[in-house]
Amino acid sequence: MLLAGAALTATTSTVASAASGPTTLPTSQFTLTSDYHQYDTLDSALVSKLGTASVDTVMKNANHTRTGITDSLGIAGYQTGFKFDSGDNSDCTNYPQGITTSRDAVGTANSGNYDGHQLIAVSWYTKAGCDGAQSRSRITLVDWDATWPNTYRKILLVEPTGTATTPNFKDIPIHAGGVSWYGDYLYVADTGHGMRVFNMKKILKTDTSGSSSAIGRQSDGTYHAHNYAYVLPQVGTITSHTTSGTSVVWSTISLDRVSSSIVMTEYTCASCTNYPQRAPRALRFPFASGATTFAATTTASEALQLPWYNLNGVGSHNGRWWFNSSGAKKLYYWTPSTGSHTYSWVGGGESLSYWEDASGPDLLWSLQEPSGHRNVFAVTQSTYGP
């Protein structure tokens, strides 16, 4: 979410116990149903027509260069980070939202490399013009390893359509407010519905010639994607259900590798017109035992009512929770045993991702959305918790 007038840096972090913390809700009220085979026939046909590109191939053909951050953003525990190139940093039609990494995907083994690369993945949504409606979404894969150049590549997210004999695809016009990478699967938040699922082994190659408005199969049999060289087709859907009487808003998500679960939270406000005016909730949904997929039906294993608003980011690891409020420029930390603590944070902050490190301090990665200040950065997680 982009908040007009959001401050772009924060003062030095301070700690204060919050007046109140989360309270528990009945977990039985919140369930998911999963379908990982929704597009099997169409995906197979698209693979046959277009062929796939590995993540390694995509990154060897990366065509954008990231740059360094020149200051610590005014927050405690700052460790490292980067900025997108000048075009992406100031683009008024594309907005970064979610963040995940190859450490989510594979853990700390082999330095967190997926297909030979240590990666940061950021989800974006695109508007039809600077003030237009959401028109499509994408991810950006960024190499984060001295072994490789400081480059990144954009991949368009698409939904398969058509038939087995004439497969096609179309844009996915969602906010993509959160993203989690687990094994080969990429989970992208779909605000009013749950999550869309993609398989990182099924990146497709497309034709980059022609009009930038062209999407899907063309009359000459070629496949175009707004001049993107690669598209990632949806493979399935995770649908959210509740008996609470209030629909769940999937504003952002994050992976907790320790408990093998995805956590989510809602962007709500105390007084506004464009978002729900109520206290937000945070939910945890466990993956099937020993798998990177959800069971056919999954009940939440944890459900919380939160006392904070304007939440763009959530993270959890080993029983600890973090919540980022872009409106308040605060990062909230909570566990049932220690209670809640509040820290100064950046303005325009978005999603969170926990970065496990076997040889160094664990990190929290995050990013800023406002045009001109799209910093992607990491802080030591121990700075934000007692």
Side-chain angles (χ1 to χ4, degrees), residues 201-376:
K201 297 291 188 184
K202 294 187 177 181
I203 300 171
L204 303 177
K205 299 176 289 186
T206 52
D207 192 321
T208 58
S209 65
S211 170
S212 62
S213 63
I215 181 69
R217 188 179 187 276
Q218 306 301 298
S219 59
D220 63 357
T222 60
Y223 288 78
H224 293 245
H226 307 297
N227 298 140
Y228 285 73
Y230 304 105
V231 300
L232 186 59
Q234 185 175 349
V235 299
T237 301
I238 310 298
T239 305
S240 177
H241 310 275
T242 183
T243 59
S244 67
T246 305
S247 297
V248 177
V249 180
W250 287 74
S251 299
T252 187
I253 62 175
S254 188
L255 178 74
D256 184 346
R257 282 191 64 89
V258 174
S259 64
S260 186
S261 62
I262 275 183
V263 295
M264 61 78 63
T265 196
E266 303 173 303
Y267 186 97
T268 68
C269 51
S271 177
C272 62
T273 57
N274 296 326
Y275 302 98
Q277 295 184 49
R278 57 172 176 79
R281 296 165 293 191
L283 307 174
R284 181 189 302 277
F285 291 98
F287 287 98
S289 179
T292 58
T293 56
F294 290 103
T297 301
T298 302
T299 301
S301 58
E302 191 171 5
L304 303 172
Q305 186 81 64
L306 306 178
W308 310 298
Y309 295 89
N310 306 113
L311 299 180
N312 295 84
V314 62
S316 184
H317 187 267
N318 200 26
R320 296 164 291 161
W321 288 81
W322 293 267
F323 302 94
N324 161 45
S325 172
S326 57
K329 292 182 288 180
K330 302 294 183 184
L331 187 67
Y332 305 108
Y333 170 89
W334 177 80
T335 72
S337 59
T338 63
S340 56
H341 297 257
T342 302
Y343 301 84
S344 294
W345 196 239
V346 298
E350 287 292 323
S351 296
L352 301 170
S353 180
Y354 195 97
W355 174 280
E356 291 182 327
D357 198 316
S359 59
D362 286 0
L363 304 174
L364 286 174
W365 278 90
S366 190
L367 70 158
Q368 291 175 283
E369 176 186 22
S371 177
H373 296 270
R374 287 170 177 164
N375 301 300
V376 183

Side-chain angles (χ1 to χ4, degrees), residues 9-299:
T9 58
T11 57
T12 302
S13 293
T14 57
V15 184
S17 294
S20 61
T23 56
T24 58
L25 296 169
T27 56
S28 60
Q29 292 182 343
F30 307 98
T31 58
L32 301 177
T33 55
S34 66
D35 183 354
Y36 287 86
H37 304 287
Q38 181 178 1
Y39 298 102
D40 278 2
T41 300
L42 293 174
D43 281 331
S44 294
L46 286 168
V47 168
S48 179
K49 293 276 188 182
L50 300 175
T52 60
S54 66
V55 166
D56 177 57
T57 296
V58 170
M59 297 316 298
K60 285 178 177 175
N61 288 285
N63 58 348
H64 293 266
T65 301
R66 61 176 170 85
T67 59
I69 295 178
T70 56
D71 61 53
S72 64
L73 306 180
I75 52 175
Y78 173 84
Q79 289 294 296
T80 189
F82 64 89
K83 295 188 292 187
F84 299 101
D85 67 20
S86 58
D88 288 328
N89 191 45
S90 59
D91 187 355
C92 66
T93 62
N94 289 280
Y95 292 86
Q97 296 291 303
I99 187 168
T100 186
T101 75
S102 54
R103 295 289 174 112
D104 279 342
V106 300
T108 59
N110 193 29
S111 299
N113 279 263
Y114 183 96
D115 202 10
H117 296 259
Q118 187 169 245
L119 297 162
I120 310 293
V122 175
S123 63
W124 299 62
Y125 73 89
T126 300
K127 292 182 177 182
C130 292
D131 297 316
Q134 291 171 182
S135 61
R136 54 183 182 261
S137 50
R138 72 178 192 223
I139 60 166
T140 297
L141 291 184
V142 185
D143 250 319
W144 191 249
D145 193 322
T147 306
W148 301 97
N150 298 334
T151 53
Y152 63 92
R153 187 90 204 197
K154 305 170 189 177
I155 303 173
L156 189 69
L157 300 178
V158 296
E159 180 181 337
T161 62
T163 65
T165 54
T166 311
N168 206 344
F169 55 75
K170 63 181 181 180
D171 289 316
I172 299 179
I174 60 173
H175 199 73
V179 60
S180 290
W181 189 356
Y182 198 30
D184 293 326
Y185 289 104
L186 194 75
Y187 296 87
V188 180
D190 187 352
T191 310
H193 305 283
M195 295 175 285
R196 299 196 185 213
V197 187
F198 304 82
N199 189 327
M200 296 298 288
K201 297 291 188 184
K202 294 187 177 181
I203 300 171
L204 303 177
K205 299 176 289 186
T206 52
D207 192 321
T208 58
S209 65
S211 170
S212 62
S213 63
I215 181 69
R217 188 179 187 276
Q218 306 301 298
S219 59
D220 63 357
T222 60
Y223 288 78
H224 293 245
H226 307 297
N227 298 140
Y228 285 73
Y230 304 105
V231 300
L232 186 59
Q234 185 175 349
V235 299
T237 301
I238 310 298
T239 305
S240 177
H241 310 275
T242 183
T243 59
S244 67
T246 305
S247 297
V248 177
V249 180
W250 287 74
S251 299
T252 187
I253 62 175
S254 188
L255 178 74
D256 184 346
R257 282 191 64 89
V258 174
S259 64
S260 186
S261 62
I262 275 183
V263 295
M264 61 78 63
T265 196
E266 303 173 303
Y267 186 97
T268 68
C269 51
S271 177
C272 62
T273 57
N274 296 326
Y275 302 98
Q277 295 184 49
R278 57 172 176 79
R281 296 165 293 191
L283 307 174
R284 181 189 302 277
F285 291 98
F287 287 98
S289 179
T292 58
T293 56
F294 290 103
T297 301
T298 302
T299 301

